[in-house]
């Protein structure tokens, strides 16, 4: 039996890779906690997984590098066991079938509290479940794959299909889109990123009545081409990032009442019409991108409000700190003055307890003997020669 991604491959990623490549942290933009997250990165990096060729797939190569290589994954951990690496290799060899329910999972809404939040929750549109369809003709699928398209089941045992032309060596055009008519009922997700169809060629999309997700980012689609999407009543996700769509093109989307996510980054669409469409279709979220001038202005206005609030809080804290500093300085000055007073009082107390006696200062030196004092003071008697001197004189003579 073929390798089942959900049962066999995904658990390997979740057990060994999500620390660095998970929902909370996506190193190098790669997240492996779900099939949808992996597909999002795969659509942007074509060599991440090359269907049928494990050795050409960057994901597989990183798992099989020598342990001492810094690029080996899992980073900082033990290499994956051989049996697990073999499962991933088999999955890639068999075509890397990736069951994806949605191209991009919607961000969970913040949980509200109180009656207002309950009312808002009640207004949310009901999600449309994937329809049940018969299996697509194998001949039609073979034509698509032979032309470089990836065709996968939406999920295990589903007849609905995800079709992607994003991994072709050349952009898809009118001829490739025409092949979709053979699987018109089964196509649920379609990736035409970087494709170059004409406005007339996009008419092939009108028959995809069950299409729920459509990628047209960086494609050649124009305002006129969007007219062919007006009949896609089940379309819930539309990505027009990096195209030449303008406000005029939005007019063709007003009838898509089930549209939930519309991406308009780096298009010519302006803020007011985009927000007008968002109000007109309940549950629709329009994303103009962080660099849209009006979005930038609103973001900066919010940041300015926050900055002013922080500035006021900082000034108040500075005032409080200055007052505390003044009080501390005053307290320190008072303590220093008191130290001087106490030291002065101590000196006065010491002087009072040990008075000096004036009579002691006038007493003669007690170490000198009285006889020595008298001897020094007595003069030699006059007229009598010193016997020692007389003896010296006699010797000389």
């Amino acid at each position: 039996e073929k390798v089942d991604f959900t049962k066999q491959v995904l658990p390997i990623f979740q057990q060994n890779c999500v620390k660095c490549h998970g929902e909370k942290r996506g190193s190098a933009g790669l997240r492996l906690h779900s099939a949808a997250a992996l597909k999002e990165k795969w659509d942007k990096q074509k060599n991440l997984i090359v269907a049928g060729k494990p050795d050409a797939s960057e994901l597989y190569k990183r798992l099989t590098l020598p342990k001492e290589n810094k690029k080996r994954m899992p980073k900082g951990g033990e290499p994956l066991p051989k049996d697990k690496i073999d499962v991933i290799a088999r999955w890639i060899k068999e075509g890397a079938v990736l069951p994806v329910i949605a191209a991009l999972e919607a961000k969970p809404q913040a949980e509200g509290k109180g009656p207002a939040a309950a009312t808002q929750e009640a207004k949310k549109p009901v999600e449309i479940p994937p329809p049940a369809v018969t299996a697509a003709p194998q001949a039609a699928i073979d034509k698509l794959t032979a032309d470089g398209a990836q065709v996968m089941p939406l999920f295990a045992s589903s007849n609905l299909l995800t079709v992607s032309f994003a991994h072709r060596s050349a952009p898809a055009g009118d001829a490739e889109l025409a092949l979709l008519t053979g699987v018109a009922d089964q196509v649920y997700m379609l990736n035409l990123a970087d494709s170059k169809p004409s406005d007339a060629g996009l008419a092939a999309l009108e028959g995809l009545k069950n299409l729920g997700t459509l990628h047209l980012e960086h494609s050649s689609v124009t305002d006129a081409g969007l007219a062919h999407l007006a009949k896609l009543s089940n379309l819930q996700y539309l990505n027009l990032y990096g195209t030449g769509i303008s406000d005029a093109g939005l007019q063709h989307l007003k009838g898509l009442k089930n549209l939930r996510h519309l991406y308009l980054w780096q298009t010519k669409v302006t803020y007011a019409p985009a927000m007008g469409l968002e109000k007109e279709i309940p549950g629709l979220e329009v994303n103009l991108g962080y660099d849209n001038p009006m979005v930038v202005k609103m973001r900066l206005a919010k940041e300015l409000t926050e900055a002013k609030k922080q500035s006021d809080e900082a000034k108040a804290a500075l005032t409080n700190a200055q007052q505390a500093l003044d009080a501390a300085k005053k307290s320190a000055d008072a303590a220093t003055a008191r130290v001087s007073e106490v030291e002065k009082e101590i000196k006065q107390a010491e002087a009072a307890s040990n008075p000096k006696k004036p009579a002691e200062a006038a007493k003669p030196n007690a170490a000198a003997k009285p006889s020595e004092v008298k001897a020094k003071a007595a003069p030699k008697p006059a007229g009598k020669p010193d016997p020692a001197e007389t003896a010296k004189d006699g010797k000389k003579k």
Side-chain angles (χ1 to χ4, degrees):
E1 294 182 0
K2 287 188 175 183
V3 175
D4 186 300
F5 176 84
T6 303
K7 295 180 180 179
Q8 295 171 266
V9 180
L10 185 59
I12 296 175
F13 292 154
Q14 291 176 337
Q15 293 169 10
N16 301 277
C17 309
V18 295
K19 182 178 180 180
C20 297
H21 302 283
E23 186 174 7
K24 294 182 179 179
R25 178 185 176 189
S27 297
L30 175 62
R31 299 178 188 276
L32 297 171
H33 64 283
S34 69
L38 172 56
K39 187 175 187 301
E40 182 181 357
K41 176 64 174 178
W42 189 7
D43 287 340
K44 296 176 182 177
Q45 184 181 341
K46 295 181 180 181
N47 70 332
L48 181 68
I49 302 172
V50 180
K53 300 179 180 179
D55 292 336
S57 303
E58 186 67 20
L59 178 66
Y60 178 79
K61 289 193 289 185
R62 291 295 187 95
L63 295 173
T64 55
L65 287 171
K67 184 177 180 180
E68 61 274 9
N69 193 308
K70 293 182 179 179
K71 293 185 177 181
R72 183 192 60 80
M73 298 298 167
K75 188 175 183 179
E78 291 297 318
L80 289 183
K82 185 178 181 301
D83 59 335
K84 293 185 178 180
I85 293 179
D86 289 344
V87 169
I88 296 173
R90 280 182 52 208
W91 170 67
I92 297 175
K93 284 181 180 179
E94 293 169 359
V97 177
L98 194 64
V100 180
I101 300 297
L104 287 175
E105 297 173 348
K107 293 182 179 180
Q109 299 290 332
E111 294 183 2
K113 296 180 180 180
T119 303
Q120 186 177 5
E121 187 71 23
K123 290 182 179 180
K124 287 184 179 180
V126 178
E127 293 294 331
I128 302 174
V133 297
T134 58
Q138 188 60 45
I141 295 177
D142 291 341
K143 287 182 180 180
L144 285 166
T145 55
D147 209 24
Q150 280 189 334
V151 182
M152 309 177 244
L154 181 65
F155 52 86
S157 72
S158 173
N159 289 327
L160 292 170
L161 301 175
T162 67
V163 179
S164 175
F165 289 95
H167 304 288
R168 292 180 83 250
S169 57
D174 293 353
E176 287 72 32
L177 267 64
L179 297 176
L180 294 170
T181 57
V183 291
D185 291 345
Q186 290 80 17
V187 179
Y188 188 78
M189 296 178 61
L190 177 60
N191 191 340
L192 293 174
D194 300 308
S195 62
K196 303 298 178 185
S198 65
D199 291 338
L202 286 171
L205 302 184
E206 292 182 1
L208 309 184
K209 61 181 182 180
N210 292 319
L211 188 63
T213 296
L214 177 58
H215 286 267
L216 284 169
E217 55 265 36
H218 295 296
S219 70
S220 60
V221 64
T222 67
D223 291 336
L226 285 184
H228 298 296
L229 308 186
K231 296 180 181 180
L232 302 179
S233 58
N234 289 318
L235 192 64
Q236 301 175 51
Y237 173 100
L238 177 59
N239 195 329
L240 297 171
Y241 167 65
T243 63
I245 299 302
S246 68
D247 296 341
L250 298 185
Q251 301 301 316
H252 303 301
L253 306 180
K254 289 185 176 180
L256 303 180
K257 300 304 180 183
N258 290 313
L259 192 61
R260 298 292 174 261
H261 305 282
L262 177 59
Y263 291 83
L264 297 171
W265 283 35
Q266 297 183 17
T267 65
K268 298 177 182 178
V269 176
T270 56
Y271 185 80
M275 294 301 102
L277 182 66
E278 189 177 75
K279 291 180 180 179
E280 192 165 337
I281 301 178
L284 174 62
E285 293 181 3
V286 177
N287 192 326
L288 286 167
Y290 71 94
D291 55 352
N292 180 274
M294 184 58 70
V295 175
V296 171
K297 181 180 178 181
M298 294 176 67
R299 184 174 69 249
L300 292 177
K302 183 177 180 180
E303 290 180 6
L304 179 61
T305 301
E306 290 295 324
K308 286 182 176 179
K309 180 181 178 182
Q310 292 177 2
S311 176
D312 292 340
E313 291 175 351
K315 288 178 180 178
L318 180 61
T319 299
N320 294 336
Q322 187 61 52
Q323 292 174 350
L325 179 62
D326 293 341
K329 188 175 182 302
K330 185 177 180 180
S331 177
D333 292 343
T336 301
R338 180 56 183 159
V339 168
S340 299
E341 291 178 1
V342 172
E343 289 176 343
K344 184 177 179 181
E345 291 174 359
I346 290 174
K347 289 180 179 180
Q348 292 175 349
E350 289 177 346
S353 61
N354 298 302
K356 292 183 179 180
K357 297 180 180 179
E360 291 181 357
K363 287 183 177 180
N365 189 355
K369 296 180 180 180
S371 57
E372 293 178 353
V373 176
K374 289 181 180 179
K376 289 181 180 179
K380 293 180 180 180
K384 288 185 179 181
D386 187 344
E389 291 292 335
T390 304
K392 287 179 183 180
D393 289 344
K395 282 183 179 182
K396 288 179 182 180
K397 289 179 180 181

